[in-house]
Structure formats: structure tokens, C-alpha cells
Amino acid sequence: RGTSCRILNMNSRSLTFFLASWIILDTSYVHSFNVHFSTPTSTAFRPSLSPKGIKMSTQSEQIQAVSDTSETDIITTAPKKGRKLRANPKTFEFNQNLQALVRNKNVLRAHELLLECNEPGVGDTYGYTQVIIAWSRYGRNNQSSSREQQSINPAQKAHELLTLMHERQIPANTITYNSVLSAYARSSSRVNDLPEIFSLLDTMNQYSLADTISYNTLLNALATRNQSDKAVELLTKLLSGETEIKANVVTFSTVINALAKKASVTQNVAYAKQATKVLQQLEQYHQSSGCDASTAPNTQCVNTVLNAWCKVGAADQCCRILSRMERLSDEGRSEMTPTAVSYNTVLVALSNSGGVHTIKQTQGLFDRMKARGIEHDERSYNSLILSFVNHGNPKSAEAILEEMKDNGTIKPTTIHYSSVINAYARKGRALDAERVLKQLEAGGSQCNPNTIIYNSVIHAHAKSGVENAGAYATALLGRMIALYRTEGHPSMKPDVYSYTTTLSALSKSSPHLVTKGGSNGETAEKLLLVMERLFDEHPHDLDLQPNQRTYTAAISTLSRCPDQDAPLRAEAILDRMIARYAKTAATNDNENEATQQNHAPDNVCFNAVLNAWAHSSSVHHPDHAVQAQRVLHKMEEYAKDHPNANCTPDWLSYHTVLNACAFTINQELNSSQDTTAQATVTSRHRGEALKIAVTTLEIFQSLEGSTKPDSSTYGLMLNVITNLCSAPEQHELRSKLTENTFQQCCRDGLVSNNVVSKLRYACGIGKDDNDSEGLFRRLLLLDNKDDSGSDTSSRYKMIRVAMEQLPDKWTRNAMRSNQRKR
């Protein structure tokens, strides 16, 4: 092939057989030939057209037509590398080249040849149509694998050739137009090309070229573009008799598909009703057309309507349609016989419904399916299992799973095990969920647990509420990691949800539980460090990236940890999170925007650190109120420097600081704490805590927007006064602070039962101090002294009487405040 060759005195007949031989041997080689014709091509050969489409003349007729032209000297040389074919052959040879390119899936080069071919008489309907058909099928069988090919719009290319045919006065037939319509129908769903599609149909109608396939293709284009309303309008036009085109079952099925798709997306019952109406129109059309087989409704149409009703959750309607299918089938309408798809669709609808009797209906339909000779499949069993799962009956769901194991034909798959595991997980029965998981792990090659299933069991442990839930979750995560390292299957890879849910389980476990891996706080720190290391090693794997929930869960675990340095370690995690976010944000890389957002600390993270300090023991941290205020100021400064971060102090932030102040008191040591430590809260610590509480409340009251004090805020402040002003020499200070706090609460209209109860303690009632009781009555505007007393019943009676006699403006916002809190 590499040697040059000179072919002299070759006539058209010889050239034809020469090219045909190369096409048979290697069609790619004939593309590289440069063929120069020195005389005009004969127009003797033309394809003959029939109503069914293009019909080429026989090969001998084509060769004879070409041989009738004058002989020419043709010089053909071996091509240079990269040299393109110049389109100037006779029609038959030209079509052969186009066909070879199309078969080699080089549609773009065939398209270029047609554009380059500007010699009169070259090119016919067949040549153009076969390339247009190729464009209509473009993208199948991985034809558009390269990035350049993926950017090609096949519909535009096909339409471009059709326009070129008009310019060159090459007649286009029905197949040509239908192929262009098909290219639009298969193209990516864009609504802005609908005018071009309808314009094509108008042109076809103008030249009487449109047929049923044309309208069906247009309907399919509308369906892919989610234009169900326009599809219904076009069907109405067909049925009205405005055109001579007859509809068939495909016409109606396409419209039903469009409506069912719209019903599934919008969850709108109206589209399911409209799909049912179109099905009824099909039945009427079938009767009016003399029961033509091409218009007979079939099971596929009804299944589509069933799916529409299933998606909108109308199980009763699905049951009625299925019963009608069974009745028609029994009457001899074999085309309406329900299939496994029909029954499974109704089973899914019943399993997802919340009716009281749906379990019995599902079981009855399951048995009826078997009685009518339709074998159960995996989807049938899964629907039955889901029916029990959705009604909170995991034990019955597991019984179906055991039945499948005993069945010789249908074995349970990962989906069936997953449904039963989720049923136990929803109930918080983590041990049962893990037991089924172990069965899944031993289920063989057909049953492979995946990340979602493991995460579901870990989440069940987090919800279980048992004191060692964190240990169970950590052990399961370790088993998950070991299996992934052993088998290396991507579906078993632990992700951020796996680690975060395990941390959440640790935060909800008993804080005094210590395992081989250390306390819950130490285990949480280790898991977080593992996640950070893995993400640093694989920065593009976002499935391993710790997010705000991950850090918050780790900090929350430390906030409940009795270790002396737990608050310091919790704040160290927050500082590390801030540093990682600053490092990521410094790259200014748009691709790392999601990474930056996941690393950005928010108010939930800061509040978790505040909670760690507020709940720390005053034995080890007598200044925890000072530390809580420091973290609050740190939070305010960070929010000011990062306005896009959601870390502005909220209601919980200020309440946590007030709570830290309220419990700056000497506490008794627990058995798990250091018994050698001494209570070190001094009057200085209590004085600092009192000042912090007053300052925090003033800042809280000055805020604008939705972050405002509520009735619980004033109750908490009264609790601060009770705990920090208990010394006799602080009587005057306590009375003054109590009166100021309560008066502010009255002005805000936030007086509630809780506030009145806390006011009683803040006033010092119960300490044999008449002045204290007098202050309480004076603040509440009580004159009846018969309600006094130290016993519990007298105390609640006094509070009840006080609430009944309070002015409405004092309590006007209390109920609304409680509702907002809930």
C-alpha cells in the first residue's frame, strides 16, 4: 500500500470494481485516495423512490449507468499521511465512499464530504439521507466517546444537510425528514429547538410527506423535553381529523409516557388522570377504527398508566386498573393480560401507602399473582418486605427474607437484606440490624454489603440510646475498614457519613465508659485524626472530607467527657478546623469551593465548644464562665472577619454562657473524678461570673433581628442571681438585680410560670426572711398574704394566684416565645 501506483486509461466500470474491492478489503483505506475526475459526472444514475423510502438500483444497473459515460484518464497515487479525500467522484462512487465512512462510524467526515461536494450532478437523495440517518443514530455504541464528539449536536448537523439539499435542489423524501425529526428527538432535551421541529412538520405537511411515523417522532421529541401539554395538543389535532394521518398505538403510548413522566416528576395527580383519559381515548379509537390491530391497547400502555398512579401514591386506583386488566384478560383480550411488571407496580404502590389494611392487600395480591401463573421475582419479594418495613414490622419482613432463603428459585439479594436492616434501624434495634448484616456478609457472591448498609447499622447504634452504643459503632466501623482493605471493593469504602455517624454514637454514649481504645473522647479524637490524614493523602476524594457535622460530633463527645482537659482538647479541635479552613481558602481555587465550605466552622461548632466549657467541672475549671465568655468573643470576631460563614452567635450561644455563669459554684466530686482535688470556686470567681452574666444579658437584649431573649433567658438569669448572690452580705445586691431583671422581663412581655418560679428563689423565699417574701409580693403586685407558706402546695398556689393576677402586657409574648423555642 505504501508504494505509489499510477493507473492509466481506467474506465468507469474498472474504477467501480477497483473501489469496491478496496471497500471489501479495508474500507478505511479507500478514504485516503485522492480521485480527480477531469470530466463532468454523468447523471444517468439516479435512485428510484418508492412510498416506503429509498430503493437503490441494482449494482449491475449502477455500473452500466456509469460505464455509459466517456472514458477518462484517472491518475491515482498513494496518499501522503494526513491527506484528505477531495469529493469529486461520480454519484455511485460518492455514495459508496459515504457508506464506507458511515459504517466506520466516521459520520463527521461523511458530513464534510457532502459539504465539500459542490459539483453539479454529484450527490443524490440516497447519499444525503444515509448520512442524516447516521446523525439520527449518533451517540449509540459509544460513538461519541471523545470530548470533541460530545460537543457535536447531531440534530443541527442533520438539519444542516437537509437545508443543503434544498439549496442544491436535491429532493428530500419522507425518510429524510423523519430522520431529521428522529435526530431532534434523540438529542439532549432542549426546549428552544421546538420551533425548528414544528417547522419541519409544517414543511412535510405542505408537500404531503408527513406520515404516522413523523407525528410519532415529534411526539417522542416532546416527551423527552417534558412537554406533555404540547403532546396532548398534537394528539388532539390528530384525532380531530385536521390531517389525513392516522394514529396508532405508538402514538397514544408516546403521549401516555409523556404524561406519566410528568406525573412522576411533579407528583401531580392531574397528569395521572390525563394519562388515564388518553388510554380511554385509545380504546374508543380502536373501536371506531374497526378494531384494527395497529390501534389495539396493550399491556405496555396500561403498565405506563399504572406507573403514573403509583408515582403519585394512588394505590387504590392502581388496584382498580389491575382488576380491570384481569377481567379483560379473562374475557379473551390476550393483549391486556397483566404481566409481572403490572403486579409489581401495584405491589410497590401498596407497600408505599400508609393505609391500615395495606399489608393484607399486599399479601393478597402477592398470592393472587402466583395463582394466575405469574412467578414472583426479586421485585415482588422486595415490595412485600417494604410493606412490612413501612408499617414498622421488621420481624415479619425478616420472615419473608427467610422464606426467600428456603426458595430454590429466588434468592435474597443485597436489596432485600438492606430493606430488613433499615426496618430494624428505624426502630433503633441496632443489635438485630447487625445480626442481619452478618447474614448478608455470609450470603455469598450475590449478596455484597455496601457502604449505605453499614452506615444504616451504625446509625441504628447511634439511635439506640444504650450506654455502649459508641463501642458497637466503632467496632462496626473497624470491621468495615478491614473488609474494604481486604477486598478493595469501592462499594464498601467508608465515607464521611460512616465516620460522622460513629462520632455521633460516641457523643451519645455513656461519658464514663472506657474501652481498650480509651475513653469516648479519646476514640473520637483518633477517628477525626484518621479522617484528616486520609483526606490530606487524597485531597480530591470528597467522600473522606470531614465537615461541620464531623467536627461538631467530635467536640460534643469531648464536652461530655469527664476528663480534666476535655474542654481544652475540644477547643483545640475547633482551632485546628479554623486553621485547615484558612489553609484551604488561601488557595483561591474555584475547584476547592466545596472543600472550603465543608471546612468552614459554623455556629454549631462554636456552640459545642461553649458547651464543653459550660459543662466542665468547677473543681478543675473554676473560671469556666470566663473561658466561655472568651470563646463567645472569639466567635463574634470570627463572624465579623468571615461574613459569609454561618457562625454568628445565636440564642444557644448566649444561653450557654449564662448557664456557665449559673453553675460557677462548688460542686461535689463524682466517684470517677480525682478525689484529691478540692473545691476551688472562690468569691472572686463568683463575682466574675456574675459580671459576665449581666454583660451577656445586656448584649443579648441589644441585638436586632430574630436573636432575642425569651422567657427562659430571664429564668436562667434569675437562676444566676440565686446561685451567685447567696451570701447574706449580698442581700441588697441580690434584691436589686432581681428587681431589674424581672422588670425588664415584664417590659418584654415574657413573664411565664418558669419566670415566676425562678423569681421566688431569687427573692430568697424559704430562708425565713420576711423582706424576701415582701419583695416577691411587691414585684408580682400581690396583696393577699394568706397565700404564703413554705410547703410545696402553698408555693404552687402562690405561683398560680400570681399568674392569674398578672397584667396581660407582662405575659403577651411568653407563649409565642415558648413556641419559637420548640
Side-chain angles (χ1 to χ4, degrees), residues 491-569:
S491 63
M492 301 175 63
K493 174 185 174 183
D495 57 8
V496 61
Y497 187 82
S498 310
Y499 287 94
T500 302
T501 310
T502 304
L503 290 171
S504 178
L506 289 169
S507 68
K508 297 175 183 178
S509 301
S510 174
H512 306 292
L513 186 65
V514 179
T515 61
K516 295 181 180 180
S519 64
N520 289 340
E522 294 172 342
T523 305
E525 288 178 295
K526 292 177 183 177
L527 286 179
L528 184 60
L529 288 173
V530 168
M531 284 196 71
E532 291 177 339
R533 177 178 57 80
L534 289 174
F535 183 68
D536 290 340
E537 294 174 357
H538 308 280
H540 297 290
D541 190 356
L542 298 181
D543 288 337
L544 296 173
Q545 179 187 20
N547 53 32
Q548 293 96 336
R549 294 184 60 186
T550 310
Y551 285 101
T552 302
I555 295 172
S556 298
T557 305
L558 286 170
S559 69
R560 302 181 72 245
C561 183
D563 296 346
Q564 179 178 348
D565 59 345
L568 296 172
R569 287 150 55 192

Coordinates of all heavy atoms in Angstrom, one line a residue, residues 491-569:
S491 N -17.7 -0.2 46.7 CA -19.0 -0.1 47.3 C -18.9 -0.3 48.8 O -19.9 0.0 49.5 CB -19.9 -1.1 46.7 OG -19.5 -2.4 47.0
M492 N -17.8 -0.7 49.4 CA -17.7 -0.9 50.8 C -16.7 0.1 51.4 O -16.4 -0.1 52.6 CB -17.1 -2.4 51.1 CG -18.0 -3.5 50.5 SD -17.3 -5.1 50.7 CE -17.2 -5.2 52.5
K493 N -16.4 1.1 50.7 CA -15.5 2.1 51.3 C -16.2 3.0 52.3 O -17.2 3.6 52.0 CB -15.0 3.0 50.1 CG -14.1 4.1 50.5 CD -13.8 4.9 49.3 CE -13.0 6.2 49.6 NZ -12.7 7.0 48.4
P494 N -15.6 3.1 53.5 CA -16.2 4.1 54.5 C -16.1 5.5 54.0 O -15.1 5.9 53.4 CB -15.3 3.9 55.7 CG -14.6 2.6 55.5 CD -14.4 2.4 54.0
D495 N -17.2 6.3 54.2 CA -17.2 7.6 53.8 C -17.3 8.6 55.0 O -17.3 8.1 56.1 CB -18.3 7.9 52.7 CG -19.7 7.5 53.3 OD1 -19.8 7.2 54.5 OD2 -20.6 7.4 52.5
V496 N -17.5 9.8 54.7 CA -17.6 10.8 55.7 C -18.8 10.5 56.6 O -18.8 10.8 57.9 CB -17.7 12.2 55.1 CG1 -18.9 12.4 54.3 CG2 -17.7 13.3 56.2
Y497 N -19.9 10.0 56.1 CA -21.1 9.7 56.9 C -20.8 8.5 57.8 O -21.3 8.5 59.0 CB -22.3 9.3 56.0 CG -23.6 9.1 56.7 CD1 -24.4 10.2 57.0 CD2 -24.0 7.9 57.1 CE1 -25.6 10.1 57.7 CE2 -25.2 7.7 57.7 CZ -26.0 8.8 58.1 OH -27.2 8.6 58.8
S498 N -20.0 7.6 57.4 CA -19.6 6.5 58.3 C -18.9 7.0 59.5 O -19.2 6.6 60.7 CB -18.7 5.5 57.5 OG -19.3 5.1 56.3
Y499 N -17.9 7.8 59.3 CA -17.1 8.4 60.5 C -18.0 9.3 61.3 O -17.9 9.3 62.5 CB -15.9 9.1 59.9 CG -14.8 8.2 59.4 CD1 -14.7 7.9 58.1 CD2 -13.8 7.6 60.3 CE1 -13.7 7.0 57.6 CE2 -12.8 6.8 59.8 CZ -12.8 6.5 58.4 OH -11.8 5.7 58.0
T500 N -18.7 10.2 60.6 CA -19.5 11.2 61.4 C -20.6 10.5 62.2 O -20.8 10.9 63.4 CB -20.2 12.1 60.4 OG1 -19.2 12.8 59.6 CG2 -21.0 13.2 61.1
T501 N -21.3 9.5 61.7 CA -22.3 8.8 62.5 C -21.7 8.0 63.6 O -22.2 7.9 64.7 CB -23.0 7.8 61.6 OG1 -23.5 8.5 60.4 CG2 -24.3 7.2 62.3
T502 N -20.5 7.5 63.4 CA -19.8 6.8 64.6 C -19.4 7.8 65.6 O -19.6 7.5 66.8 CB -18.5 6.1 64.1 OG1 -18.8 5.2 63.0 CG2 -17.8 5.4 65.2
L503 N -19.0 9.0 65.3 CA -18.7 10.0 66.2 C -20.0 10.4 67.0 O -19.9 10.7 68.2 CB -18.0 11.2 65.5 CG -16.6 11.0 65.0 CD1 -16.2 12.2 64.2 CD2 -15.7 10.9 66.2
S504 N -21.1 10.5 66.2 CA -22.3 10.8 66.9 C -22.7 9.8 67.9 O -23.3 10.1 69.0 CB -23.4 11.0 65.8 OG -24.7 11.3 66.4
A505 N -22.5 8.5 67.6 CA -22.8 7.4 68.5 C -21.9 7.6 69.8 O -22.4 7.4 70.9 CB -22.6 6.1 67.9
L506 N -20.7 8.0 69.6 CA -19.8 8.2 70.8 C -20.3 9.3 71.6 O -20.2 9.3 72.9 CB -18.4 8.4 70.3 CG -17.6 7.2 69.7 CD1 -16.3 7.7 69.0 CD2 -17.3 6.2 70.8
S507 N -20.8 10.4 71.0 CA -21.2 11.6 71.7 C -22.5 11.3 72.5 O -22.8 12.0 73.5 CB -21.5 12.7 70.8 OG -22.6 12.5 69.9
K508 N -23.3 10.2 72.1 CA -24.5 9.9 72.8 C -24.3 8.7 73.8 O -25.3 8.3 74.5 CB -25.6 9.5 71.8 CG -26.0 10.6 70.9 CD -26.9 10.2 69.8 CE -27.3 11.3 68.9 NZ -28.2 10.9 67.8
S509 N -23.1 8.2 73.9 CA -22.8 7.1 74.8 C -22.5 7.6 76.2 O -22.4 8.8 76.4 CB -21.7 6.2 74.3 OG -22.0 5.7 73.0
S510 N -22.4 6.6 77.1 CA -22.1 7.0 78.5 C -20.7 7.6 78.5 O -19.7 7.1 78.0 CB -22.1 5.7 79.4 OG -21.6 6.0 80.7
P511 N -20.6 8.8 79.1 CA -19.3 9.6 79.1 C -18.3 8.9 80.0 O -17.1 9.2 79.9 CB -19.7 10.9 79.6 CG -20.9 10.7 80.4 CD -21.6 9.6 79.8
H512 N -18.7 8.0 80.9 CA -17.7 7.4 81.9 C -17.3 6.0 81.4 O -16.5 5.4 82.1 CB -18.4 7.3 83.2 CG -18.9 8.6 83.8 ND1 -18.1 9.6 84.1 CD2 -20.2 9.0 84.0 CE1 -18.8 10.6 84.6 NE2 -20.1 10.3 84.5
L513 N -17.7 5.6 80.2 CA -17.4 4.3 79.7 C -16.0 4.3 79.1 O -15.6 5.2 78.2 CB -18.4 3.8 78.6 CG -18.2 2.4 78.1 CD1 -18.5 1.4 79.2 CD2 -19.1 2.2 76.9
V514 N -15.1 3.4 79.5 CA -13.8 3.3 79.0 C -13.5 1.9 78.4 O -13.8 0.9 79.0 CB -12.7 3.6 80.1 CG1 -11.3 3.4 79.6 CG2 -13.0 4.9 80.7
T515 N -13.1 1.9 77.1 CA -12.8 0.6 76.4 C -11.3 0.5 76.2 O -10.5 1.3 76.7 CB -13.5 0.6 75.1 OG1 -13.0 1.7 74.3 CG2 -15.0 0.8 75.3
K516 N -10.9 -0.6 75.5 CA -9.5 -0.8 75.2 C -8.9 0.4 74.5 O -7.7 0.7 74.6 CB -9.3 -2.1 74.4 CG -9.7 -3.3 75.2 CD -9.5 -4.6 74.3 CE -9.9 -5.8 75.1 NZ -9.7 -7.1 74.3
G517 N -9.7 1.0 73.6 CA -9.2 2.2 72.9 C -9.1 3.5 73.7 O -8.7 4.5 73.1
G518 N -9.5 3.4 74.9 CA -9.6 4.6 75.7 C -11.0 5.1 76.0 O -12.0 4.4 75.7
S519 N -11.1 6.3 76.5 CA -12.5 6.9 76.7 C -13.1 7.3 75.4 O -12.5 7.3 74.3 CB -12.3 8.1 77.6 OG -11.6 9.1 76.9
N520 N -14.4 7.6 75.4 CA -15.1 8.0 74.2 C -14.4 9.3 73.6 O -14.3 9.4 72.4 CB -16.5 8.3 74.5 CG -17.3 7.0 74.8 OD1 -16.9 5.9 74.5 ND2 -18.5 7.2 75.5
G521 N -14.0 10.2 74.4 CA -13.3 11.4 73.9 C -12.0 11.0 73.2 O -11.8 11.6 72.1
E522 N -11.2 10.1 73.7 CA -10.0 9.8 73.1 C -10.3 9.0 71.7 O -9.6 9.3 70.7 CB -9.2 8.9 74.0 CG -8.7 9.6 75.2 CD -8.0 8.7 76.2 OE1 -8.3 7.4 76.1 OE2 -7.3 9.1 77.1
T523 N -11.3 8.2 71.7 CA -11.7 7.5 70.5 C -12.1 8.4 69.4 O -11.8 8.3 68.2 CB -12.8 6.4 70.8 OG1 -12.3 5.5 71.8 CG2 -13.1 5.6 69.5
A524 N -12.9 9.4 69.8 CA -13.4 10.4 68.9 C -12.2 11.2 68.3 O -12.2 11.5 67.1 CB -14.4 11.4 69.6
E525 N -11.3 11.6 69.1 CA -10.1 12.3 68.6 C -9.3 11.5 67.6 O -8.8 12.0 66.6 CB -9.2 12.7 69.8 CG -9.8 13.9 70.6 CD -8.9 14.2 71.8 OE1 -8.7 13.3 72.7 OE2 -8.4 15.3 71.8
K526 N -9.1 10.2 67.9 CA -8.4 9.3 67.0 C -9.1 9.2 65.6 O -8.5 9.3 64.6 CB -8.2 8.0 67.6 CG -7.3 8.0 68.8 CD -7.2 6.6 69.5 CE -6.4 6.6 70.7 NZ -6.3 5.2 71.4
L527 N -10.4 9.0 65.7 CA -11.2 8.9 64.4 C -11.1 10.2 63.6 O -10.9 10.1 62.4 CB -12.6 8.6 64.7 CG -13.0 7.2 65.2 CD1 -14.5 7.0 65.4 CD2 -12.5 6.1 64.1
L528 N -11.1 11.3 64.2 CA -11.1 12.6 63.5 C -9.7 12.7 62.9 O -9.5 13.2 61.7 CB -11.4 13.7 64.4 CG -11.4 15.1 63.8 CD1 -12.5 15.2 62.7 CD2 -11.7 16.2 64.8
L529 N -8.6 12.4 63.6 CA -7.3 12.5 63.1 C -7.1 11.5 61.9 O -6.4 11.9 60.9 CB -6.3 12.1 64.2 CG -6.1 13.2 65.3 CD1 -5.2 12.7 66.4 CD2 -5.5 14.5 64.7
V530 N -7.7 10.3 61.9 CA -7.6 9.4 60.8 C -8.3 10.0 59.6 O -7.8 9.9 58.5 CB -8.3 8.1 61.2 CG1 -8.5 7.2 59.9 CG2 -7.5 7.3 62.2
M531 N -9.5 10.6 59.8 CA -10.2 11.3 58.6 C -9.3 12.4 58.0 O -9.2 12.5 56.8 CB -11.5 11.8 59.1 CG -12.6 10.8 59.3 SD -14.2 11.6 59.4 CE -14.5 12.0 57.7
E532 N -8.8 13.2 58.9 CA -8.0 14.3 58.4 C -6.7 13.8 57.6 O -6.4 14.4 56.6 CB -7.5 15.2 59.5 CG -8.7 16.0 60.1 CD -8.3 16.8 61.3 OE1 -7.2 16.5 61.9 OE2 -9.0 17.8 61.7
R533 N -6.1 12.8 58.1 CA -4.9 12.2 57.4 C -5.3 11.6 56.1 O -4.6 11.8 55.1 CB -4.3 11.2 58.3 CG -3.1 10.5 57.7 CD -2.5 9.5 58.6 NE -3.4 8.5 59.1 CZ -3.8 7.4 58.4 NH1 -3.3 7.2 57.2 NH2 -4.6 6.5 58.9
L534 N -6.4 10.9 56.0 CA -6.9 10.3 54.8 C -7.2 11.3 53.8 O -6.9 11.2 52.6 CB -8.1 9.4 55.0 CG -7.8 8.1 55.8 CD1 -9.2 7.4 56.1 CD2 -6.9 7.2 55.0
F535 N -7.9 12.4 54.2 CA -8.2 13.5 53.2 C -7.0 14.2 52.8 O -6.9 14.6 51.6 CB -9.2 14.4 53.9 CG -9.7 15.5 52.9 CD1 -10.5 15.1 51.8 CD2 -9.3 16.8 53.1 CE1 -10.9 16.1 50.9 CE2 -9.8 17.8 52.2 CZ -10.6 17.4 51.1
D536 N -6.0 14.4 53.6 CA -4.8 15.1 53.2 C -4.0 14.2 52.2 O -3.4 14.8 51.3 CB -3.9 15.3 54.4 CG -4.5 16.4 55.4 OD1 -5.3 17.2 54.9 OD2 -4.1 16.4 56.5
E537 N -4.1 12.9 52.3 CA -3.5 12.0 51.4 C -4.2 11.9 50.1 O -3.6 11.7 49.0 CB -3.3 10.6 52.0 CG -2.4 10.5 53.2 CD -2.4 9.2 53.8 OE1 -3.2 8.3 53.3 OE2 -1.6 8.9 54.7
H538 N -5.6 12.1 50.1 CA -6.4 12.1 48.9 C -7.3 13.3 48.9 O -8.5 13.3 49.2 CB -7.3 10.8 48.9 CG -6.5 9.6 49.1 ND1 -5.8 8.9 48.1 CD2 -6.3 8.8 50.2 CE1 -5.2 7.8 48.6 NE2 -5.5 7.7 49.9
P539 N -6.7 14.5 48.6 CA -7.5 15.8 48.7 C -8.6 15.9 47.7 O -9.5 16.7 47.9 CB -6.4 16.8 48.4 CG -5.4 16.1 47.6 CD -5.3 14.7 48.1
H540 N -8.7 15.1 46.7 CA -9.8 15.1 45.7 C -10.9 14.2 46.0 O -11.9 14.2 45.3 CB -9.3 14.9 44.3 CG -8.3 15.9 43.8 ND1 -8.6 17.2 43.5 CD2 -6.9 15.8 43.6 CE1 -7.5 17.9 43.1 NE2 -6.5 17.0 43.2
D541 N -10.7 13.4 47.1 CA -11.8 12.4 47.5 C -12.6 13.1 48.5 O -12.4 13.0 49.7 CB -11.1 11.1 48.0 CG -12.1 10.0 48.2 OD1 -13.3 10.3 48.0 OD2 -11.7 8.9 48.6
L542 N -13.7 13.7 48.1 CA -14.6 14.5 49.0 C -15.4 13.6 49.9 O -16.0 14.0 50.9 CB -15.5 15.4 48.2 CG -14.9 16.5 47.3 CD1 -15.9 17.3 46.6 CD2 -14.0 17.3 48.2
D543 N -15.4 12.2 49.6 CA -16.1 11.3 50.4 C -15.4 11.1 51.8 O -16.0 10.6 52.7 CB -16.3 10.0 49.8 CG -17.3 10.0 48.6 OD1 -18.2 10.9 48.7 OD2 -17.2 9.2 47.7
L544 N -14.2 11.5 51.8 CA -13.4 11.4 53.1 C -13.2 12.7 53.8 O -12.4 12.8 54.8 CB -12.0 10.8 52.8 CG -12.0 9.3 52.2 CD1 -10.6 8.9 51.8 CD2 -12.6 8.4 53.3
Q545 N -13.8 13.8 53.3 CA -13.6 15.1 53.9 C -14.4 15.3 55.1 O -15.6 15.3 55.1 CB -13.9 16.1 52.8 CG -13.7 17.6 53.3 CD -14.2 18.6 52.3 OE1 -15.0 18.2 51.5 NE2 -13.7 19.8 52.4
P546 N -13.8 15.6 56.3 CA -14.6 16.0 57.5 C -15.3 17.3 57.2 O -14.8 18.2 56.6 CB -13.5 16.1 58.6 CG -12.3 15.5 58.0 CD -12.3 15.6 56.5
N547 N -16.6 17.3 57.7 CA -17.4 18.5 57.5 C -17.8 19.1 58.9 O -17.2 18.6 59.9 CB -18.6 18.2 56.7 CG -19.4 17.0 57.2 OD1 -19.4 16.8 58.4 ND2 -20.0 16.3 56.3
Q548 N -18.7 20.1 58.9 CA -19.0 20.7 60.2 C -19.6 19.7 61.1 O -19.4 19.7 62.3 CB -20.0 21.8 59.9 CG -19.4 23.0 59.2 CD -19.7 22.9 57.7 OE1 -19.9 21.9 57.2 NE2 -19.7 24.1 57.0
R549 N -20.5 18.7 60.6 CA -21.1 17.8 61.5 C -20.0 16.8 62.1 O -20.2 16.4 63.2 CB -22.1 17.0 60.7 CG -23.3 17.8 60.2 CD -24.3 16.9 59.5 NE -24.8 15.9 60.4 CZ -25.7 14.9 60.1 NH1 -26.1 14.8 58.8 NH2 -26.1 14.0 60.9
T550 N -19.0 16.5 61.3 CA -18.0 15.6 61.8 C -17.2 16.3 63.0 O -17.1 15.7 64.1 CB -16.9 15.3 60.7 OG1 -17.6 14.9 59.5 CG2 -16.0 14.3 61.2
Y551 N -16.8 17.5 62.8 CA -16.1 18.2 63.9 C -17.0 18.5 65.1 O -16.6 18.3 66.3 CB -15.6 19.6 63.4 CG -14.4 19.4 62.5 CD1 -14.4 19.5 61.1 CD2 -13.1 19.2 63.1 CE1 -13.3 19.4 60.3 CE2 -12.0 19.1 62.3 CZ -12.1 19.2 60.9 OH -11.0 19.0 60.1
T552 N -18.3 18.8 64.8 CA -19.2 19.0 65.9 C -19.4 17.8 66.8 O -19.5 17.8 68.0 CB -20.6 19.5 65.4 OG1 -20.4 20.7 64.6 CG2 -21.5 19.8 66.5
A553 N -19.6 16.6 66.1 CA -19.7 15.4 66.8 C -18.5 15.0 67.7 O -18.7 14.6 68.8 CB -20.0 14.2 65.8
A554 N -17.3 15.3 67.2 CA -16.1 15.0 68.0 C -16.1 16.0 69.2 O -15.7 15.6 70.3 CB -14.9 15.2 67.1
I555 N -16.4 17.2 68.9 CA -16.4 18.2 70.0 C -17.4 17.9 71.1 O -17.2 18.0 72.3 CB -16.5 19.6 69.5 CG1 -15.3 20.0 68.6 CG2 -16.7 20.6 70.6 CD1 -15.5 21.3 67.9
S556 N -18.6 17.5 70.6 CA -19.7 17.1 71.5 C -19.3 15.9 72.4 O -19.7 15.9 73.6 CB -21.0 16.8 70.7 OG -21.4 18.0 70.0
T557 N -18.6 15.0 71.8 CA -18.1 13.8 72.6 C -17.2 14.3 73.7 O -17.3 13.8 74.9 CB -17.4 12.8 71.7 OG1 -18.3 12.5 70.6 CG2 -17.0 11.6 72.5
L558 N -16.3 15.2 73.4 CA -15.4 15.7 74.5 C -16.2 16.6 75.5 O -15.7 16.7 76.6 CB -14.3 16.5 73.8 CG -13.2 15.7 73.1 CD1 -12.3 16.6 72.2 CD2 -12.4 14.9 74.1
S559 N -17.2 17.3 75.1 CA -18.0 18.1 76.0 C -18.6 17.3 77.1 O -18.9 17.8 78.2 CB -19.0 18.9 75.3 OG -20.0 18.1 74.8
R560 N -18.9 16.0 76.8 CA -19.5 15.1 77.8 C -18.5 14.2 78.5 O -18.8 13.4 79.4 CB -20.5 14.2 77.1 CG -21.6 15.0 76.4 CD -22.7 14.1 75.8 NE -23.5 13.4 76.8 CZ -23.6 12.1 77.1 NH1 -22.8 11.3 76.4 NH2 -24.4 11.6 78.0
C561 N -17.2 14.4 78.1 CA -16.1 13.6 78.7 C -15.7 14.1 80.1 O -15.5 15.4 80.2 CB -15.0 13.5 77.7 SG -13.6 12.5 78.3
P562 N -15.6 13.3 81.1 CA -15.2 13.8 82.4 C -13.7 14.1 82.6 O -13.3 14.6 83.7 CB -15.6 12.6 83.3 CG -15.5 11.4 82.5 CD -15.8 11.8 81.1
D563 N -12.9 14.0 81.5 CA -11.5 14.2 81.6 C -11.3 15.7 82.0 O -12.0 16.6 81.5 CB -10.8 13.9 80.3 CG -10.9 12.4 80.0 OD1 -11.2 11.6 81.0 OD2 -10.6 12.0 78.9
Q564 N -10.2 15.9 82.7 CA -10.0 17.3 83.2 C -9.7 18.3 82.1 O -10.1 19.4 82.1 CB -8.8 17.3 84.2 CG -8.4 18.6 84.7 CD -7.3 18.6 85.7 OE1 -6.9 17.5 86.2 NE2 -6.7 19.7 86.1
D565 N -8.9 17.8 81.1 CA -8.5 18.6 80.0 C -9.5 18.5 78.8 O -9.1 19.0 77.7 CB -7.1 18.3 79.5 CG -7.0 16.9 79.1 OD1 -7.9 16.1 79.4 OD2 -6.0 16.5 78.4
A566 N -10.7 18.0 78.9 CA -11.6 17.8 77.8 C -12.0 19.1 77.1 O -12.0 19.2 75.9 CB -12.8 17.0 78.3
P567 N -12.3 20.2 77.9 CA -12.6 21.4 77.2 C -11.5 22.0 76.4 O -11.7 22.5 75.3 CB -13.0 22.4 78.3 CG -13.3 21.5 79.5 CD -12.5 20.3 79.3
L568 N -10.2 21.8 76.9 CA -9.1 22.3 76.1 C -8.9 21.5 74.8 O -8.6 22.1 73.8 CB -7.8 22.2 77.0 CG -7.8 23.1 78.3 CD1 -6.6 22.7 79.1 CD2 -7.8 24.5 77.9
R569 N -9.1 20.2 74.9 CA -9.0 19.4 73.7 C -10.1 19.7 72.7 O -9.9 19.7 71.5 CB -9.0 17.9 74.1 CG -7.7 17.5 74.7 CD -7.9 16.3 75.7 NE -8.6 15.2 75.2 CZ -9.1 14.2 75.9 NH1 -9.0 14.2 77.2 NH2 -9.7 13.2 75.3

